[in-house]
Amino acid sequence: MNALARIFATPQGIVFLVAVLFAVVLGLLNPAFFTPSTLIDLARNGLVTGIFAMGVMMVLASGGIDVSHTAIGAFAMYATMKIVLGIDLDLPIIAYFVIAAAIGAGLGLVNGLLIGGLGLNTLIVTLGTLSFFRGALLTFLGTTYITSVPREVINFSRTILIRIENAVGQMVSLPASFLVLVAVTIALAIIMNFTLFGRKVYAIGGSEEAAQRIGIRIKRVKVLIYVIAGAIAGLAGMTHVTLSRMANPFDLVGMELNVIAAVVLGGARITGGHGTVLGTLLGVFVITMINTTLLMAGVPSYWQKFVIGCLIIVGTGLPIVFDRLAKHRQRMARPLEA
Amino acid sequence: MNDEASGSTPILQMRDIRKAYGPVRVLEDVNLELSTGEVRCLAGENGSGKSTLIKILSGVVSADAGQVSLNGRQLGNDPMGAITAGLSVIYQDFSLFPNLSVWENIGFLTSVTSADVLHKRSARRRLAIDTLKRMQVEIDPDTPVELLPVASKQLVAIARALANRARIIVMDEPTTALTRSEVAHLLEIVGALKKEGVSFLFVSHKIEEVFAVCDTVTVLRDGSVVVEGPIGEFDTERLVEAMTGRSVDSQRLPREEGAVQRPFLAASGLGRRGNFVDVDLELRPGEIVSVVGLLGSGRTELAQTLFGYMKPDAGRIEIDGETVTFKSQHDAIERGIAYVPEDRLTEGLFLNQSIRDNITVSSLEKSTHFGIVSAASLLQRARDAVKNLRIKTPDVTPAVATLSGGNQQRVVLARWMEIDPRLLILNGPTVGVDVGSKREIHELLVSLSRSGTAVMVVTDDIAEAIALSDRILVMVRGRITAGFDAATVDEDTLYNEVIREDRT
């Protein structure tokens, strides 16, 4: 009971518990659910969300919010394809990711200069750039699908890490793109925990004024945060291409709230100062599981939104209610003495 | 004490500092020196230029003229320069990171000044533990700072400065949020560090602390140094006179004794689990009652319970002889009770909004006819209140944040007086308020009570209780342990009663 109460006291605990319950129910309804192939399915489906979520987590930890990441991802992915097809050179696949990350970093710099340099509000700026980057993409780069992606991309997308047969005899595979998520996660974990820059991010999220007073150059740190977040978004965009084997400029934008929801469910606070790489992975896992399993169970897709909405409200609200109840019970258990 | 301070070369020199904001001259030719191991008090009322002087010292604001030199080296207006040169400012809000652990907070300044690229976890953690040990303070280094009580946060802020080998620590009103025993502990630590050669610049309103800890005093008034010298040359009266420019009678405020009236509010056997128990109390129109107790004595919870913010577990409250149950503070306000909270900044004021809006926000219906709020009426009422309460501001439109502490407190008072309360409960009414304003606020409260309002003051400032009240109740560990007539009780008796349990 005590352990259970403790689990209920943290948002991650509740999220995790709900996820487990969810899995159990689905497992009972559909025995095929408890197979390794489901896990691979989830890893594949949550891949892009997970990469985006890493950048968003860092922004949230600094006390900001970034809704423009999907637009950055879409822009970087489409622009990279345009560039590579334009120069018509045989580049190794790693170069694609480098170009996409650089484009993302450049767009992130725009966010960073507006937010860090000019000191504008992060939500307003990124709402603006979300529309701006997307508009720029569709207006100046094009609206047509690029279906003839270069050979390197095709090859990379055919590189498989794990392949398993699922219950109904289909092959389920984990593509090499999964390594991008692994790399980004490890890199961000190192940045956030083992560099002073990462600690400054948390410090600024905790108290910007205090950070300024002990000599942290807030503007610089903020610019760098959005540049890194932009680069990560660029990688997410490129990863998306390797999964879908085509570049659709209309993709990605629209999933930003899903990403933010995953990060918040993972324990990052919208007020800043908190957020971990592992928590974020958990949040992404839960969101992806709900989306995927509801689909598997044949539940109409609009139910996914409903369930995720409930989870956000319950996951962030219930710990507060439990905390209050516990305090009240604790107080009432005492004798009428001061 | 003075011998240690004199004779050595100054570690800090500020020479002919001038600063003006537009046409307003904030500082004029201010000189200030600090020697190794000296504790100097920077005294002055709100608006005397203390804060600006500190900001110039710390490099946050640049002076129009004059020089600041540390160890003979001149400082520019760069916060990092001052910090690396060994100067640390501990602000009133401590400027810590609530989300980070104690050790990381303590080590952070050092990491920043040594321009680390990597996060040196174990080295910084050891530094923090060593520093806390050196201060002989027991705080768990792994606790997040947000979970610490105020006094510990203060100590963490000092530890952070020390960990960075600060030679000069500037403390801006360090004791405002501390209780007496915590203040005593802080002053002990200051004394010990001073022996190690750390110099302090101590900004304080509390005269007794100035005498307890400082070697020398610099008094600022209207932007210039009016007097400066070793503390031995001063006594309370001379210091207060220097700060305010007028001699202030620190004794009880004169008042007419009125006839005893029927109580407006009477509580009997009032109790709340873990906070207070068996509280009997009567609050009458025309009388000021102080509830004096240490932090944690239940004084704040009692006040909040009378205001309907918390619910009692036992006992009852009567208003005009009729038993009442407050479901929320709204019911209490309807009954004519007003509450001025302890922390006016976070609980009481909308800092970024205008003085007018802050004054009239609780009494909008007074200016509302047929559902429409009359802006002209709001403006008029706000202007009248500013005049009546002598709030120093050119107009009622600037944000409250632009006012000094004493004037902010008056804005809170003005707001509650607008609802014409029958009972005004004030929690720490002059915390963070300078001597002159304090006196004026006390005078206001006395005249308010003589006009027929019941006033209850919750405080741990014994001199304030005596100067202000008619009757004093002492609260120790949730119980009212003694009652005194404020006209006859002396400070020592009262003090001993208040700390009775604290000593054992």
Side-chain angles (χ1 to χ4, degrees), chain A residues 194 196 199 213 273 334 337, chain B residues 95 99 104 117 273 479:
Chain A
F194 298 102
L196 195 62
R199 304 319 291 173
R213 281 176 175 169
R334 274 187 257 178
E337 264 298 319
Chain B
S95 291
N99 54 327
E104 197 168 354
V117 173
R273 285 190 172 82
R479 287 173 190 275

Side-chain angles (χ1 to χ4, degrees), chain B residues 83-337:
Chain B
I83 292 170
T84 23
L87 182 128
S88 271
V89 181
I90 297 175
Y91 293 89
Q92 248 177 307
D93 61 3
F94 312 139
S95 291
L96 296 170
F97 304 113
N99 54 327
L100 301 182
S101 67
V102 167
W103 71 260
E104 197 168 354
N105 266 286
I106 294 175
F108 220 119
L109 187 56
T110 313
S111 301
V112 172
T113 49
S114 35
D116 287 355
V117 173
L118 294 181
H119 181 40
K120 299 176 179 161
R121 252 162 213 281
S122 53
R124 294 291 172 254
R125 189 163 182 277
R126 215 176 316 121
L127 175 69
I129 291 172
D130 290 347
T131 311
L132 288 173
K133 206 178 278 168
R134 185 175 142 205
M135 289 169 65
Q136 296 181 326
V137 170
E138 276 184 33
I139 299 175
D140 176 11
D142 299 311
T143 327
V145 162
E146 59 195 338
L147 300 181
L148 294 181
V150 183
S152 305
K153 286 185 191 163
Q154 169 82 265
L155 296 175
V156 170
I158 297 176
R160 178 168 74 182
L162 288 177
N164 191 42
R165 289 188 293 280
R167 304 309 298 160
I168 301 173
I169 298 182
V170 182
M171 302 179 88
D172 191 4
E173 295 192 33
T175 60
T176 308
L178 306 187
T179 62
R180 272 173 181 265
S181 55
E182 288 163 351
V183 170
H185 187 209
L186 177 69
L187 297 188
E188 261 171 45
I189 289 172
V190 169
L193 292 174
K194 164 187 148 77
K195 288 209 184 74
E196 292 180 27
V198 180
S199 311
F200 285 87
L201 188 62
F202 209 83
V203 180
S204 181
H205 285 134
K206 295 191 182 171
I207 305 286
E208 46 183 317
E209 287 160 22
V210 173
F211 283 102
V213 72
C214 297
D215 303 318
T216 48
V217 185
T218 297
V219 180
L220 274 184
R221 190 168 74 221
D222 298 330
S224 342
V225 176
V226 282
V227 63
E228 186 263 349
I231 193 80
E233 295 175 4
F234 290 85
D235 57 22
T236 309
E237 273 164 45
R238 176 154 182 241
L239 192 57
V240 171
E241 200 178 326
M243 283 163 69
T244 59
R246 58 184 178 269
S247 73
V248 168
D249 179 7
S250 65
Q251 285 310 300
R252 217 168 114 72
L253 285 171
R255 66 196 67 199
E256 309 156 19
E257 299 296 333
V260 175
Q261 304 190 39
R262 282 188 50 212
F264 164 70
L265 181 146
S268 51
L270 207 61
R272 184 178 148 83
R273 285 190 172 82
N275 295 137
F276 54 85
V277 69
D278 282 341
V279 171
D280 297 325
L281 132 137
E282 290 183 339
L283 302 171
R284 300 164 196 278
E287 189 186 43
I288 302 181
V289 175
S290 289
V291 175
V292 185
L294 300 172
L295 201 72
S297 62
R299 52 171 208 219
T300 298
E301 291 78 5
L302 174 64
Q304 291 183 340
T305 304
L306 293 179
F307 184 55
Y309 186 71
M310 292 180 172
K311 287 189 188 61
D313 297 321
R316 61 169 183 210
I317 302 174
E318 286 173 16
I319 286 182
D320 290 330
E322 177 195 340
T323 306
V324 292
T325 330
F326 294 142
K327 284 198 196 69
S328 68
Q329 56 266 57
H330 188 78
D331 292 350
I333 294 172
E334 293 246 297
R335 284 294 193 152
I337 300 176

Side-chain angles (χ1 to χ4, degrees), chain A residues 140-157:
Chain A
F140 302 115
L141 290 183
T143 51
T144 50
Y145 298 5
I146 299 177
T147 44
S148 56
V149 290
R151 194 165 18 93
E152 289 80 7
V153 176
I154 301 285
N155 287 342
F156 183 70
S157 71

